[in-house]
């Protein structure tokens, strides 16, 4: 997490843990940071995945349980082992694998891969080095004790020098590694501070032994220039077996040394980048939840993903992406507070969402986040429910006028300029496929069961109530414009309905025994995703899951876990 703002503690939600042993390890290091009793950089930070079963030859059934965090991965190789042992939970050689070009599938078993062309800074950084940039430097000699560190590294792996070492020197050779360690990293790994142990917070060395978390150094330290948090920074990087560490002199003292986002970067490399086959080798890299014996290629995101909001990590909802079968779920956002109402841009390169009453856009790879501040924002209590125009140039959204969100429908340019009022007393807008009209729900002065649907021209003229549709909310046009899907409580609890574009021919698709809501059409118009409370139990009274069904209501299938809290699915449209 290079480039934390000066004096700030990075916002991280407490994860939901795949195993109690993972929770104990996480709490030792990061619970004091989370509650504010320790001011230092994170050791694990937020959760990237839930439970994942990955191939591991010595594990039961040829697999082991792992869970990815921003900074690394936790794994249990022998579930029958001593749970009190400090090595019951291990991590894997993540940094080594990405630099060398391999995937570990057993204690001493590896599958070849190309080294990871994954940058250390922002995912869209094209200047700074990647893990692959270190591939030819694994045998570089150790620097002598006390030697100033002035070596630099560029993206091509070329070593140069810098004029200023910033006071960084070599502390000398680390026995067994063949490499030295830079002074800021040595001080960091030997520091003491508050840790959480056995239900109490105590002060003791954070890492004992010193290289317990990082592993031994596998490279020397190098200065580089990279893009982080949208800005170009001077950063010192040194990689160890399990993780890489960064030193950013311009950060506040407590944040100058940070663990790199090795876990997140490794996950993206393993599951979201193309694999170039090695002759004679059949890779075995199942994605989360897949059979460990299935020979499947590394995951490549499709153009048909579903975005949704999920409180999977035990805190406020975040935007998550997945395939239409529920596989390869990946958290996209990770700010502090609720991040809601995801909506795909027509070209599928961006999403819009809301955070603390503001509209944001973000790249589908998690980069380029931008807050929009449409005119009139100061007069409202929040902007919500963004949805892109078919040409990707505008967003329609709901602007709340008061604390209970009596609201109006507005439209704004995709860069946040040119905001204009379109319709009063409305919410939950949806664009017609030709981009000329908006479908929305009337929202003032009535409860959810009594809202009605209307359409209006983008210019604010031609208001047309769809009286034939009856009460409804959360409307959305089908990709071909011939139908609408919406939610109505006319038969009890919320159910998903469809009708013709003029509101006639209403048909109920779900059974209204539970609350089904937030329909979203697939790009081809043949299926509908929706959220449902039908899986609630005494043990999971607040559960919400994402389902998909055929456009006629048949084959209703849950694609997220039953006990989680997942809502507001959004499928992109073909244009």
């Amino acid at each position: 997490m290079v480039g934390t703002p000066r004096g700030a503690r990075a916002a991280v939600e407490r994860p939901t843990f795949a195993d109690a042993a993972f929770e104990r390890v996480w709490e030792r290091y990061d619970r004091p940071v989370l509650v504010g009793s320790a001011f230092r950089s994170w050791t694990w930070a937020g959760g990237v995945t839930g439970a994942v079963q990955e191939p591991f030859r010595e594990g039961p059934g040829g697999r082991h349980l792992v869970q990815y965090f921003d900074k690394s991965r936790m794994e249990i190789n022998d579930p029958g082992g001593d749970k009190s042992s400090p090595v019951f939970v291990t991590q894997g050689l993540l940094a080594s694998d990405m630099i060398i070009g391999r995937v570990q599938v057993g204690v001493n078993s590896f599958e070849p891969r190309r080294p990871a062309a994954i940058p250390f800074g922002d995912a869209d950084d094209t200047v700074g080095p990647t893990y692959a940039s270190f591939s030819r430097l694994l045998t570089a000699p150790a620097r002598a004790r006390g030697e100033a560190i002035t070596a630099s590294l560029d993206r091509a792996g070329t070593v140069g020098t810098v004029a200023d070492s910033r006071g960084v020197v070599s502390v000398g050779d680390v026995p067994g590694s063949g490499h030295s360690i830079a002074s800021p990293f040595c001080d960091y790994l030997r520091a003491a501070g508050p840790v959480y142990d056995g239900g109490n917070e105590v002060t003791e060395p954070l890492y004992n032994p010193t290289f317990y978390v990082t592993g031994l150094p596998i490279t020397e330290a190098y200065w580089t220039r990279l893009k982080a948090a949208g800005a170009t920074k001077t950063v010192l990087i040194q990689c160890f077996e399990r993780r890489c560490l960064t030193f950013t002199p311009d950060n506040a003292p407590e944040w100058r040394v940070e663990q790199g986002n090795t876990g997140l970067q490794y996950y993206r490399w393993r599951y979201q980048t193309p694999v170039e086959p090695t002759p004679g080798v059949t890779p075995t890299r199942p994605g989360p939840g897949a059979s460990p014996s299935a020979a499947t290629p590394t995951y490549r995101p499709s153009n048909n993903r579903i975005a949704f909001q999920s409180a999977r990590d035990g805190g406020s909802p975040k935007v998550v992406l997945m395939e239409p079968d529920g596989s390869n779920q990946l958290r996209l956002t990770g700010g502090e507070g609720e991040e809601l109402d995801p909506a795909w841009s027509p070209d599928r390169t961006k999403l819009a969402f809301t955070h603390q009453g503001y509209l944001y856009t973000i790249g589908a790879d998690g980069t380029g986040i931008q807050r929009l501040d449409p005119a009139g924002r100061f007069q409202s209590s929040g902007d919500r429910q963004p949805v892109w125009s078919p040409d990707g140039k505008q967003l329609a959204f709901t602007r709340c006028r008061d604390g209970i969100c009596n609201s109006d429908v507005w439209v704004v340019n995709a860069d946040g300029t040119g905001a204009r009022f379109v319709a009063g007393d409305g919410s939950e807008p949806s664009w017609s496929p030709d981009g000329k009209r908006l479908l929305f729900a009337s929202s003032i002065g009535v409860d959810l069961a009594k809202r009605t649907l209307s359409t209006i021209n983008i210019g604010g003229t031609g208001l047309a109530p769809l009286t034939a549709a009856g009460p409804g909310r959360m409307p959305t046009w089908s990709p071909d414009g011939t139908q609408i899907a919406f939610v109505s409580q006319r038969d009890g609890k919320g159910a998903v309905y469809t009708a013709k574009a003029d509101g006639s021919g209403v048909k109920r698709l779900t059974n209204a025994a539970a609350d089904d809501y937030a329909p979203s059409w697939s790009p081809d118009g043949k299926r509908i995703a929706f959220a449902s409370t039908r899986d609630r139990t005494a043990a999971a009274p607040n559960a919400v899951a994402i389902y998909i069904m055929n456009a006629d209501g048949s084959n209703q299938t849950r694609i997220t876990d039953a006990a989680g809290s997942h809502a507001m699915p959004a499928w992109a449209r073909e244009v």
Side-chain angles (χ1 to χ4, degrees):
M1 199 174 292
V2 178
T4 303
R6 177 176 289 276
R9 187 171 82 247
V12 168
E13 297 284 347
R14 178 185 175 85
T16 297
F17 297 96
D19 191 276
F22 294 169
E23 182 175 19
R24 288 193 297 271
V25 172
W26 188 94
E27 286 205 324
R28 171 182 166 79
Y29 301 101
D30 281 354
R31 186 180 188 276
V33 183
L34 182 69
V35 302
S37 58
F39 194 57
R40 60 175 183 254
S41 55
W42 300 93
T43 297
W44 299 96
V48 173
T49 70
V52 179
Q53 292 288 338
E54 287 185 342
F56 193 76
R57 291 184 180 177
E58 290 79 9
R63 59 183 179 176
H64 63 170
L65 173 68
V66 309
Q67 182 173 6
Y68 286 88
F69 300 84
D70 287 321
K71 305 299 183 183
S72 190
R73 178 183 76 195
M74 294 189 199
E75 58 190 32
I76 298 174
N77 298 330
D78 180 11
D82 180 5
K83 294 183 178 171
S84 65
S85 168
V87 294
F88 178 73
V89 174
T90 55
Q91 297 179 67
L93 306 173
L94 304 192
S96 292
D97 285 0
M98 283 193 283
I99 292 172
I100 295 171
R102 66 186 187 185
V103 170
Q104 188 174 18
V105 293
V107 174
N108 295 302
S109 302
F110 300 89
E111 291 180 348
R113 287 281 301 271
R114 287 191 177 273
I118 301 288
F120 290 90
D122 293 347
D124 62 350
D125 179 22
T126 60
V127 177
T130 68
Y131 285 85
S133 305
F134 283 85
S135 296
R136 293 179 292 177
L137 303 175
L138 296 172
T139 58
R143 296 191 181 98
R145 183 179 180 87
E147 179 184 343
I149 295 180
T150 58
S152 65
L153 183 68
D154 65 15
R155 195 178 190 89
T158 304
V159 176
T161 59
V162 296
D164 185 1
S165 69
R166 308 289 186 102
V168 176
V169 299
S170 165
V171 181
D173 181 41
V174 176
S177 74
H179 290 283
S180 66
I181 182 171
S183 52
F185 303 138
C186 184
D187 293 342
Y188 172 81
L189 293 174
R190 290 178 175 174
V195 297
Y196 189 75
D197 188 16
N200 297 298
E201 202 169 276
V202 296
T203 298
E204 60 182 52
L206 267 63
Y207 308 116
N208 188 16
T210 303
F211 300 104
Y212 170 70
V213 167
T214 60
L216 296 176
I218 58 173
T219 74
E220 296 299 297
Y222 298 89
W223 291 102
T224 188
R225 295 282 286 172
L226 55 77
K227 179 184 176 186
T232 302
K233 302 175 184 290
T234 297
V235 179
L236 183 74
I237 300 176
Q238 183 166 14
C239 287
F240 300 73
E241 293 171 301
R242 302 184 183 111
R243 309 171 182 225
C244 297
L245 298 182
T246 64
F247 171 65
T248 309
D250 293 339
N251 278 2
E254 298 87 349
W255 288 93
R256 285 176 184 160
V257 175
E258 298 177 88
Q259 312 258 357
N261 284 335
T262 308
L264 174 61
Q265 291 157 353
Y266 179 93
Y267 181 84
R268 286 176 171 168
W269 170 64
R270 181 164 178 168
Y271 292 112
Q272 298 180 330
T273 57
V275 175
E276 295 190 27
T278 301
V281 176
T282 301
T284 306
R285 298 180 195 92
S291 166
S293 61
T296 58
T298 291
Y299 166 59
R300 306 183 192 187
S302 73
N303 284 328
N304 196 26
R305 286 183 290 175
I306 296 174
F308 63 104
Q309 65 189 46
S310 172
R312 61 176 52 215
D313 292 330
S316 52
K318 300 291 176 279
V319 176
V320 177
L321 307 181
M322 65 179 171
E323 297 296 332
D325 61 0
S327 65
N328 297 305
Q329 295 184 19
L330 178 67
R331 189 192 69 201
L332 184 68
T333 65
E336 189 170 7
E338 295 182 337
E339 292 166 330
L340 309 171
D341 303 328
W344 284 97
S345 65
D347 63 4
R348 300 182 177 91
T349 63
K350 293 183 178 181
L351 293 97
F353 65 98
T354 61
H355 173 66
Q356 297 181 338
Y358 286 91
L359 305 180
Y360 283 76
T361 60
I362 188 172
D365 61 356
T367 64
I369 190 167
Q370 178 184 4
R371 193 179 89 175
L372 308 184
D373 201 359
R377 172 66 178 81
F378 68 94
Q379 297 174 336
S380 77
S381 63
D383 295 336
R384 305 180 181 181
Q385 301 163 342
V387 59
W388 296 81
S389 62
D391 62 7
K393 296 180 179 180
Q394 300 178 88
L395 291 160
F397 64 96
T398 297
R399 169 156 286 173
C400 299
R401 299 195 302 268
D402 53 39
I404 59 174
C405 201
N406 286 314
S407 58
D408 302 320
V409 176
W410 284 60
V411 168
V412 65
N413 295 331
D415 63 0
T417 63
R420 63 185 187 277
F421 172 90
V422 176
D425 303 339
S427 63
E428 302 164 340
S430 172
W431 290 84
S432 62
D434 62 9
K436 296 180 179 180
R437 295 179 65 78
L438 289 173
L439 171 66
F440 65 96
S442 177
S443 63
I444 193 168
V446 297
D447 61 28
L448 296 180
K450 296 180 181 177
R451 294 185 182 185
T452 56
L453 307 181
S454 296
T455 63
I456 194 169
N457 295 327
I458 297 303
T461 62
L463 178 67
L466 302 185
T467 54
R473 60 190 182 96
M474 292 185 158
T476 178
W477 246 303
S478 65
D480 65 3
T482 63
Q483 298 183 80
I484 60 172
F486 61 98
V487 177
S488 178
Q489 293 177 263
R490 68 190 70 190
D491 295 317
K493 293 193 174 185
V496 177
Y497 291 74
T498 57
K500 295 179 181 179
D502 63 1
S504 64
V506 173
K507 178 182 178 182
R508 191 178 77 190
L509 303 187
T510 63
N511 63 21
D515 281 313
D516 299 327
Y517 59 98
S520 178
W521 295 88
S522 64
D524 60 8
K526 295 180 179 180
R527 292 181 291 173
I528 296 173
F530 63 98
S532 179
T533 65
R534 64 184 67 183
D535 298 299
R536 289 183 174 175
T537 64
N542 298 312
V544 183
I546 306 297
Y547 279 72
I548 58 172
M549 62 182 169
N550 294 333
D552 62 2
S554 63
N555 196 27
Q556 296 182 24
T557 305
R558 179 169 52 81
I559 58 172
T560 61
D561 61 286
S565 179
H566 318 296
M568 305 306 295
W571 232 324
R573 286 190 174 188
E574 296 278 7
V575 293

